[in-house]
Amino acid sequence: MLPIVADADMGFGTLTGCMKLTRSFVEAGVAMIHIDDLAMGLKKFTNGEGRTIVPTSEYLSRLTTVRMTFDIMGLSLEEGKKAGKDYLTVKAEWTASAGLMTFDEAVKTVATEEQYKAYIQEIGRGTVALQDRRAAAKLVTGKDVVFDWELPRTPLGQYMWQWSTKAVIDRCVLVASLGDVTWSRQGHPADKKDMQEFHAALREVYPDRLFAFGYTGAYDFSKGGYSPEEVETFPADIAKMGLVWQVQPIWATQGLSLHAKQFAEKFKKEGIAGYMRDVAAPAIAGMATDKYGKPTSRGGYLADAFFDVVGGEEITEKI
């Protein structure tokens, strides 16, 4: 694949914006970017003023920010070219070799089976701070467990976080009292059990808790362990767990994209005839009209009523 040279325009914001933009480009696999020395929002082509440039010091700051971001991410254009690896590849290799784990998993690597059971019993079922977990681990194993969550921290201050149902439950229990509804969603093919565990755990602490659920278009129910019959009864089944509001927000992109693709394929094969038969005709047949036979969805009658009012007529319903 040919290397991508991206137009970063003016950096889209402050120096922080330049930094984030550069990082996003690198993560997307862009080989090179270029930054303008123009002022934000001052491109004018109709009055002869053209473009407004920023002071040299400001432009230098932009370029320094970009260069520093490359360096922080360990990227040199020449070194990257020689190694033949992009940022995402390096990141994936590092993640595979870094041995990322939770503190409990770290305890498990140094404890015997009996010691680990004793450790879990010692910390109990509630939310336990790291310092208390350290103390419990040392009490049971007699060792200081090596664990430092600062080591894998990213240049932007982000922490690597090992996802688990327990971690999500702990977080939701802590914040539940600050809101009325807890929103959940499914994002992994094997989380049928996780979903049930999540809602049951929160209901154990807050028996009357209300929940919302967002269906995601990319979620494959069959891979999540659901039978066709379970998919049909899914809305009613999760309602029994306290999910009072269920929404499918992805149709706006997924559904329209599918229809656009189908339309394009049909238009390519059959032209306007296929469009009129399969799109226009059904749409017109089911379309509400005003007393003049015009589609009300277009709002023409509202525009006419507006002009009538401007002309001095009383406001009346004209449909």
Side-chain angles (χ1 to χ4, degrees):
M1 186 176 70
L2 293 175
I4 298 174
V5 178
D7 182 358
D9 206 67
M10 293 156 278
F12 297 100
T14 62
L15 297 183
T16 303
C18 285
M19 179 181 68
K20 292 179 179 178
L21 178 70
T22 303
R23 181 174 181 270
S24 297
F25 272 138
V26 171
E27 291 180 340
V30 168
M32 184 184 298
I33 67 174
H34 58 86
I35 296 279
D36 293 339
D37 60 351
L38 304 179
M40 293 286 294
L42 293 178
K43 283 186 178 180
K44 296 182 179 180
F45 301 101
T46 58
N47 58 9
E49 293 180 0
R51 298 171 175 84
T52 301
I53 63 172
V54 297
T56 302
S57 59
E58 183 174 339
Y59 186 47
L60 181 61
S61 295
R62 286 183 189 174
L63 294 179
T64 302
T65 299
V66 173
R67 181 70 262 176
M68 184 175 69
T69 303
F70 278 138
D71 293 341
I72 288 175
M73 298 178 75
L75 292 175
S76 166
L77 297 182
E78 290 302 317
E79 291 176 2
K81 191 186 301 180
K82 292 177 183 178
K85 297 179 180 179
D86 59 23
Y87 172 73
L88 293 181
T89 300
V90 174
K91 180 180 178 181
E93 291 177 350
W94 179 87
T95 301
S97 63
L100 295 176
M101 62 183 70
T102 65
F103 182 77
D104 290 352
E105 290 170 339
V107 173
K108 201 169 188 177
T109 63
V110 300
T112 65
E113 185 175 343
E114 291 301 320
Q115 286 176 332
Y116 187 71
K117 289 181 180 179
Y119 163 75
I120 294 298
Q121 186 175 1
E122 183 71 23
I123 62 176
R125 297 183 60 188
T127 303
V128 182
L130 178 60
Q131 61 186 22
D132 296 324
R133 290 177 182 270
R134 287 187 185 279
K138 186 171 184 178
L139 176 66
V140 172
T141 65
K143 304 174 184 177
D144 287 316
V145 178
V146 178
F147 182 82
D148 188 351
W149 52 22
E150 296 290 342
L151 289 178
R153 195 175 183 184
T154 71
L156 293 181
Q158 299 163 305
Y159 289 93
M160 293 291 185
W161 188 57
Q162 177 61 54
W163 180 91
S164 70
T165 306
K166 178 66 165 58
V168 175
I169 291 171
D170 288 346
R171 175 172 291 202
C172 289
V173 167
L174 287 173
V175 303
S177 61
L178 301 176
D180 300 316
V181 179
T182 298
W183 179 298
S184 66
R185 58 173 288 182
Q186 288 179 292
H188 299 277
D191 57 6
K192 177 181 179 180
K193 175 178 174 293
D194 295 333
M195 182 180 179
Q196 296 170 343
E197 180 184 346
F198 170 78
H199 290 92
L202 260 71
R203 274 292 180 91
E204 187 175 331
V205 181
Y206 296 97
D208 298 323
R209 190 65 181 172
L210 301 178
F211 298 95
F213 182 79
Y215 295 90
T216 57
Y219 183 80
D220 190 334
F221 277 89
S222 62
K223 292 182 179 179
Y226 293 90
S227 66
E229 294 75 21
E230 286 178 313
V231 175
E232 289 185 12
T233 62
F234 184 79
D237 292 339
I238 63 176
K240 297 173 184 177
M241 292 190 286
L243 286 106
V244 297
W245 184 46
Q246 302 178 35
V247 61
Q248 169 52 287
I250 202 68
W251 188 90
T253 54
Q254 191 178 47
L256 294 180
S257 295
L258 175 62
H259 288 310
K261 179 182 178 182
Q262 292 172 339
F263 161 72
E265 292 174 346
K266 185 173 292 294
F267 198 81
K268 181 179 179 181
K269 293 179 180 179
E270 303 182 48
I272 192 64
Y275 173 80
M276 293 301 299
R277 181 187 67 243
D278 297 331
V279 180
I284 293 172
M287 191 178 294
T289 59
D290 59 22
K291 63 182 181 181
Y292 301 107
K294 303 295 184 181
T296 56
S297 60
R298 298 177 183 175
Y301 72 98
L302 294 174
D304 291 346
F306 173 82
F307 289 120
D308 289 341
V309 172
V310 173
E313 294 187 23
E314 294 184 2
I315 299 177
T316 57
E317 185 176 1
K318 295 186 176 183
I319 298 179

